[in-house]
mmCIF file of all heavy atoms in Angstrom:
data_model
loop_
_atom_site.group_PDB
_atom_site.id
_atom_site.type_symbol
_atom_site.label_atom_id
_atom_site.label_comp_id
_atom_site.label_asym_id
_atom_site.label_seq_id
_atom_site.Cartn_x
_atom_site.Cartn_y
_atom_site.Cartn_z
ATOM 1 N N MET D 459 -11.989 -17.373 -2.262
ATOM 2 C CA MET D 459 -11.245 -16.717 -1.219
ATOM 3 C C MET D 459 -9.733 -16.681 -1.561
ATOM 4 O O MET D 459 -9.204 -17.651 -2.051
ATOM 5 C CB MET D 459 -11.438 -17.421 0.107
ATOM 6 C CG MET D 459 -12.863 -17.722 0.476
ATOM 7 S SD MET D 459 -13.762 -16.300 1.141
ATOM 8 C CE MET D 459 -13.075 -16.223 2.785
ATOM 9 N N TRP D 460 -9.127 -15.520 -1.317
ATOM 10 C CA TRP D 460 -7.662 -15.493 -1.529
ATOM 11 C C TRP D 460 -6.971 -15.839 -0.212
ATOM 12 O O TRP D 460 -7.513 -15.646 0.862
ATOM 13 C CB TRP D 460 -7.196 -14.124 -2.036
ATOM 14 C CG TRP D 460 -7.546 -12.939 -1.201
ATOM 15 C CD1 TRP D 460 -8.598 -12.093 -1.362
ATOM 16 C CD2 TRP D 460 -6.788 -12.391 -0.101
ATOM 17 N NE1 TRP D 460 -8.553 -11.080 -0.442
ATOM 18 C CE2 TRP D 460 -7.446 -11.252 0.352
ATOM 19 C CE3 TRP D 460 -5.595 -12.802 0.550
ATOM 20 C CZ2 TRP D 460 -6.985 -10.464 1.396
ATOM 21 C CZ3 TRP D 460 -5.142 -12.027 1.613
ATOM 22 C CH2 TRP D 460 -5.828 -10.902 2.034
ATOM 23 N N GLU D 461 -5.784 -16.427 -0.339
ATOM 24 C CA GLU D 461 -5.067 -16.925 0.811
ATOM 25 C C GLU D 461 -3.885 -16.029 1.203
ATOM 26 O O GLU D 461 -3.656 -15.776 2.365
ATOM 27 C CB GLU D 461 -4.560 -18.366 0.542
ATOM 28 C CG GLU D 461 -5.716 -19.317 0.268
ATOM 29 C CD GLU D 461 -5.227 -20.702 -0.157
ATOM 30 O OE1 GLU D 461 -4.055 -20.817 -0.474
ATOM 31 O OE2 GLU D 461 -6.046 -21.644 -0.113
ATOM 32 N N GLU D 462 -3.128 -15.553 0.194
ATOM 33 C CA GLU D 462 -2.026 -14.626 0.449
ATOM 34 C C GLU D 462 -2.095 -13.441 -0.473
ATOM 35 O O GLU D 462 -2.679 -13.514 -1.549
ATOM 36 C CB GLU D 462 -0.691 -15.350 0.233
ATOM 37 C CG GLU D 462 -0.403 -16.502 1.206
ATOM 38 C CD GLU D 462 0.914 -17.153 0.960
ATOM 39 O OE1 GLU D 462 1.695 -16.596 0.176
ATOM 40 O OE2 GLU D 462 1.187 -18.228 1.498
ATOM 41 N N ARG D 463 -1.514 -12.343 -0.004
ATOM 42 C CA ARG D 463 -1.575 -11.104 -0.752
ATOM 43 C C ARG D 463 -0.166 -10.546 -0.863
ATOM 44 O O ARG D 463 0.474 -10.268 0.156
ATOM 45 C CB ARG D 463 -2.525 -10.101 -0.075
ATOM 46 C CG ARG D 463 -2.813 -8.845 -0.847
ATOM 47 C CD ARG D 463 -3.890 -8.029 -0.148
ATOM 48 N NE ARG D 463 -4.260 -6.879 -0.880
ATOM 49 C CZ ARG D 463 -3.705 -5.660 -0.696
ATOM 50 N NH1 ARG D 463 -2.725 -5.549 0.175
ATOM 51 N NH2 ARG D 463 -4.109 -4.642 -1.441
ATOM 52 N N ILE D 464 0.326 -10.332 -2.089
ATOM 53 C CA ILE D 464 1.650 -9.801 -2.335
ATOM 54 C C ILE D 464 1.493 -8.397 -2.925
ATOM 55 O O ILE D 464 1.041 -8.218 -4.009
ATOM 56 C CB ILE D 464 2.428 -10.687 -3.287
ATOM 57 C CG1 ILE D 464 2.425 -12.134 -2.842
ATOM 58 C CG2 ILE D 464 3.850 -10.188 -3.491
ATOM 59 C CD1 ILE D 464 2.912 -13.158 -3.836
ATOM 60 N N THR D 465 1.873 -7.356 -2.156
ATOM 61 C CA THR D 465 1.714 -6.010 -2.551
ATOM 62 C C THR D 465 2.748 -5.596 -3.596
ATOM 63 O O THR D 465 3.743 -6.272 -3.819
ATOM 64 C CB THR D 465 1.777 -5.040 -1.382
ATOM 65 O OG1 THR D 465 3.133 -5.119 -0.848
ATOM 66 C CG2 THR D 465 0.811 -5.469 -0.280
ATOM 67 N N ALA D 466 2.485 -4.446 -4.247
ATOM 68 C CA ALA D 466 3.416 -3.948 -5.242
ATOM 69 C C ALA D 466 4.774 -3.596 -4.602
ATOM 70 O O ALA D 466 5.851 -3.824 -5.194
ATOM 71 C CB ALA D 466 2.861 -2.697 -5.891
ATOM 72 N N GLU D 467 4.720 -3.139 -3.319
ATOM 73 C CA GLU D 467 5.987 -2.804 -2.642
ATOM 74 C C GLU D 467 6.803 -4.071 -2.366
ATOM 75 O O GLU D 467 8.012 -4.106 -2.483
ATOM 76 C CB GLU D 467 5.692 -2.072 -1.333
ATOM 77 C CG GLU D 467 5.141 -0.689 -1.450
ATOM 78 C CD GLU D 467 3.643 -0.696 -1.899
ATOM 79 O OE1 GLU D 467 3.002 -1.759 -1.808
ATOM 80 O OE2 GLU D 467 3.142 0.373 -2.262
ATOM 81 N N GLN D 468 6.107 -5.138 -1.981
ATOM 82 C CA GLN D 468 6.807 -6.418 -1.747
ATOM 83 C C GLN D 468 7.421 -6.982 -3.041
ATOM 84 O O GLN D 468 8.493 -7.517 -3.025
ATOM 85 C CB GLN D 468 5.842 -7.430 -1.101
ATOM 86 C CG GLN D 468 5.413 -7.043 0.291
ATOM 87 C CD GLN D 468 4.310 -7.953 0.824
ATOM 88 O OE1 GLN D 468 3.437 -8.408 0.063
ATOM 89 N NE2 GLN D 468 4.325 -8.230 2.091
ATOM 90 N N ARG D 469 6.679 -6.840 -4.152
ATOM 91 C CA ARG D 469 7.203 -7.318 -5.405
ATOM 92 C C ARG D 469 8.428 -6.480 -5.842
ATOM 93 O O ARG D 469 9.433 -7.022 -6.334
ATOM 94 C CB ARG D 469 6.141 -7.227 -6.533
ATOM 95 C CG ARG D 469 4.944 -8.117 -6.258
ATOM 96 C CD ARG D 469 4.157 -8.388 -7.555
ATOM 97 N NE ARG D 469 3.751 -7.126 -8.193
ATOM 98 C CZ ARG D 469 2.662 -6.472 -7.919
ATOM 99 N NH1 ARG D 469 1.829 -6.947 -6.983
ATOM 100 N NH2 ARG D 469 2.360 -5.379 -8.534
ATOM 101 N N GLU D 470 8.393 -5.166 -5.586
ATOM 102 C CA GLU D 470 9.475 -4.314 -5.946
ATOM 103 C C GLU D 470 10.722 -4.695 -5.139
ATOM 104 O O GLU D 470 11.847 -4.689 -5.661
ATOM 105 C CB GLU D 470 9.113 -2.868 -5.705
ATOM 106 C CG GLU D 470 10.157 -1.861 -6.168
ATOM 107 C CD GLU D 470 9.728 -0.433 -5.996
ATOM 108 O OE1 GLU D 470 8.546 -0.210 -5.680
ATOM 109 O OE2 GLU D 470 10.545 0.453 -6.184
ATOM 110 N N ALA D 471 10.485 -4.990 -3.847
ATOM 111 C CA ALA D 471 11.614 -5.362 -2.974
ATOM 112 C C ALA D 471 12.266 -6.673 -3.467
ATOM 113 O O ALA D 471 13.486 -6.890 -3.279
ATOM 114 C CB ALA D 471 11.152 -5.526 -1.547
ATOM 115 N N ARG D 472 11.472 -7.551 -4.044
ATOM 116 C CA ARG D 472 12.020 -8.822 -4.546
ATOM 117 C C ARG D 472 12.403 -8.732 -6.008
ATOM 118 O O ARG D 472 12.796 -9.754 -6.618
ATOM 119 C CB ARG D 472 10.916 -9.893 -4.371
ATOM 120 C CG ARG D 472 10.476 -10.110 -2.938
ATOM 121 C CD ARG D 472 9.245 -11.061 -2.910
ATOM 122 N NE ARG D 472 8.675 -11.113 -1.582
ATOM 123 C CZ ARG D 472 7.556 -11.772 -1.303
ATOM 124 N NH1 ARG D 472 6.913 -12.490 -2.268
ATOM 125 N NH2 ARG D 472 7.075 -11.783 -0.068
ATOM 126 N N GLU D 473 12.247 -7.522 -6.594
ATOM 127 C CA GLU D 473 12.573 -7.320 -8.017
ATOM 128 C C GLU D 473 11.768 -8.266 -8.887
ATOM 129 O O GLU D 473 12.280 -8.839 -9.839
ATOM 130 C CB GLU D 473 14.067 -7.493 -8.249
ATOM 131 C CG GLU D 473 14.936 -6.477 -7.495
ATOM 132 C CD GLU D 473 16.394 -6.649 -7.814
ATOM 133 O OE1 GLU D 473 16.776 -7.627 -8.515
ATOM 134 O OE2 GLU D 473 17.220 -5.787 -7.396
ATOM 135 N N LEU D 474 10.452 -8.351 -8.626
ATOM 136 C CA LEU D 474 9.540 -9.148 -9.409
ATOM 137 C C LEU D 474 8.494 -8.306 -10.068
ATOM 138 O O LEU D 474 8.063 -7.268 -9.526
ATOM 139 C CB LEU D 474 8.875 -10.206 -8.507
ATOM 140 C CG LEU D 474 9.782 -11.283 -7.904
ATOM 141 C CD1 LEU D 474 8.979 -12.117 -6.934
ATOM 142 C CD2 LEU D 474 10.405 -12.138 -8.958
ATOM 143 N N GLN D 475 8.060 -8.707 -11.282
ATOM 144 C CA GLN D 475 7.036 -7.999 -12.002
ATOM 145 C C GLN D 475 5.781 -8.898 -12.104
ATOM 146 O O GLN D 475 5.858 -10.106 -11.832
ATOM 147 C CB GLN D 475 7.564 -7.631 -13.430
ATOM 148 C CG GLN D 475 8.848 -6.861 -13.393
ATOM 149 C CD GLN D 475 8.725 -5.494 -12.750
ATOM 150 O OE1 GLN D 475 7.662 -4.841 -12.882
ATOM 151 N NE2 GLN D 475 9.766 -5.046 -12.068
ATOM 152 N N LEU D 476 4.697 -8.317 -12.583
ATOM 153 C CA LEU D 476 3.491 -9.128 -12.806
ATOM 154 C C LEU D 476 3.694 -10.270 -13.759
ATOM 155 O O LEU D 476 3.115 -11.333 -13.621
ATOM 156 C CB LEU D 476 2.330 -8.226 -13.326
ATOM 157 C CG LEU D 476 1.741 -7.236 -12.283
ATOM 158 C CD1 LEU D 476 0.713 -6.358 -12.953
ATOM 159 C CD2 LEU D 476 1.131 -7.968 -11.095
ATOM 160 N N ALA D 477 4.613 -10.070 -14.729
ATOM 161 C CA ALA D 477 4.879 -11.089 -15.715
ATOM 162 C C ALA D 477 5.513 -12.328 -15.057
ATOM 163 O O ALA D 477 5.344 -13.462 -15.537
ATOM 164 C CB ALA D 477 5.835 -10.599 -16.817
ATOM 165 N N ASP D 478 6.216 -12.123 -13.947
ATOM 166 C CA ASP D 478 6.810 -13.302 -13.216
ATOM 167 C C ASP D 478 5.776 -14.189 -12.575
ATOM 168 O O ASP D 478 6.033 -15.325 -12.237
ATOM 169 C CB ASP D 478 7.746 -12.776 -12.137
ATOM 170 C CG ASP D 478 8.941 -12.027 -12.732
ATOM 171 O OD1 ASP D 478 9.581 -12.528 -13.681
ATOM 172 O OD2 ASP D 478 9.197 -10.885 -12.273
ATOM 173 N N TYR D 479 4.532 -13.670 -12.483
ATOM 174 C CA TYR D 479 3.428 -14.476 -11.924
ATOM 175 C C TYR D 479 2.451 -14.947 -13.043
ATOM 176 O O TYR D 479 1.397 -15.476 -12.712
ATOM 177 C CB TYR D 479 2.658 -13.640 -10.908
ATOM 178 C CG TYR D 479 3.496 -13.219 -9.714
ATOM 179 C CD1 TYR D 479 4.151 -11.976 -9.713
ATOM 180 C CD2 TYR D 479 3.629 -14.011 -8.593
ATOM 181 C CE1 TYR D 479 4.929 -11.563 -8.663
ATOM 182 C CE2 TYR D 479 4.408 -13.613 -7.498
ATOM 183 C CZ TYR D 479 5.053 -12.393 -7.566
ATOM 184 O OH TYR D 479 5.829 -11.978 -6.495
ATOM 185 N N GLY D 480 2.792 -14.667 -14.264
ATOM 186 C CA GLY D 480 1.927 -15.059 -15.368
ATOM 187 C C GLY D 480 0.708 -14.131 -15.474
ATOM 188 O O GLY D 480 -0.307 -14.517 -16.007
ATOM 189 N N LEU D 481 0.855 -12.856 -15.031
ATOM 190 C CA LEU D 481 -0.236 -11.896 -14.999
ATOM 191 C C LEU D 481 -0.083 -10.745 -15.959
ATOM 192 O O LEU D 481 -0.857 -9.842 -15.941
ATOM 193 C CB LEU D 481 -0.465 -11.410 -13.583
ATOM 194 C CG LEU D 481 -0.973 -12.479 -12.561
ATOM 195 C CD1 LEU D 481 -0.859 -11.906 -11.167
ATOM 196 C CD2 LEU D 481 -2.355 -12.891 -12.921
ATOM 197 N N ASP D 482 0.983 -10.756 -16.760
ATOM 198 C CA ASP D 482 1.193 -9.650 -17.722
ATOM 199 C C ASP D 482 1.803 -10.258 -19.006
ATOM 200 O O ASP D 482 2.996 -10.233 -19.195
ATOM 201 C CB ASP D 482 2.102 -8.570 -17.116
ATOM 202 C CG ASP D 482 2.192 -7.362 -18.041
ATOM 203 O OD1 ASP D 482 1.286 -7.196 -18.901
ATOM 204 O OD2 ASP D 482 3.114 -6.557 -17.853
ATOM 205 N N PRO D 483 0.923 -10.759 -19.917
ATOM 206 C CA PRO D 483 -0.526 -10.759 -19.793
ATOM 207 C C PRO D 483 -1.023 -11.950 -18.958
ATOM 208 O O PRO D 483 -0.281 -12.904 -18.754
ATOM 209 C CB PRO D 483 -0.970 -10.898 -21.241
ATOM 210 C CG PRO D 483 0.149 -11.759 -21.873
ATOM 211 C CD PRO D 483 1.416 -11.262 -21.209
ATOM 212 N N ALA D 484 -2.290 -11.859 -18.532
ATOM 213 C CA ALA D 484 -2.882 -12.945 -17.746
ATOM 214 C C ALA D 484 -3.227 -14.129 -18.629
ATOM 215 O O ALA D 484 -3.492 -13.993 -19.799
ATOM 216 C CB ALA D 484 -4.126 -12.454 -17.050
ATOM 217 N N ARG D 485 -3.154 -15.298 -18.023
ATOM 218 C CA ARG D 485 -3.528 -16.515 -18.772
ATOM 219 C C ARG D 485 -5.065 -16.586 -19.053
ATOM 220 O O ARG D 485 -5.498 -16.901 -20.141
ATOM 221 C CB ARG D 485 -3.157 -17.780 -18.004
ATOM 222 C CG ARG D 485 -1.713 -17.812 -17.545
ATOM 223 C CD ARG D 485 -0.813 -18.075 -18.690
ATOM 224 N NE ARG D 485 0.592 -18.254 -18.266
ATOM 225 C CZ ARG D 485 1.609 -17.528 -18.613
ATOM 226 N NH1 ARG D 485 1.423 -16.532 -19.495
ATOM 227 N NH2 ARG D 485 2.805 -17.773 -18.175
ATOM 228 N N ILE D 486 -5.847 -16.200 -18.052
ATOM 229 C CA ILE D 486 -7.310 -16.183 -18.137
ATOM 230 C C ILE D 486 -7.815 -14.971 -17.438
ATOM 231 O O ILE D 486 -7.283 -14.579 -16.390
ATOM 232 C CB ILE D 486 -7.910 -17.503 -17.496
ATOM 233 C CG1 ILE D 486 -7.351 -18.744 -18.175
ATOM 234 C CG2 ILE D 486 -9.446 -17.447 -17.582
ATOM 235 C CD1 ILE D 486 -7.743 -20.034 -17.459
#
């Protein structure tokens, strides 16, 4: 189950990319 959801718009507003979450590239 996922607990929180961060949309692309929310990441853009915070000036964050997928790489900032370790998802570009993904660890696993």
Side-chain angles (χ1 to χ4, degrees):
M459 309 282 284
W460 57 264
E461 298 174 347
E462 296 181 10
R463 187 172 183 270
I464 307 169
T465 65
E467 291 77 13
Q468 291 172 327
R469 296 199 306 272
E470 184 177 353
R472 301 173 189 175
E473 297 183 352
L474 295 173
Q475 307 295 325
L476 289 176
D478 296 312
Y479 300 91
L481 292 169
D482 188 18
R485 307 289 187 238
I486 301 173

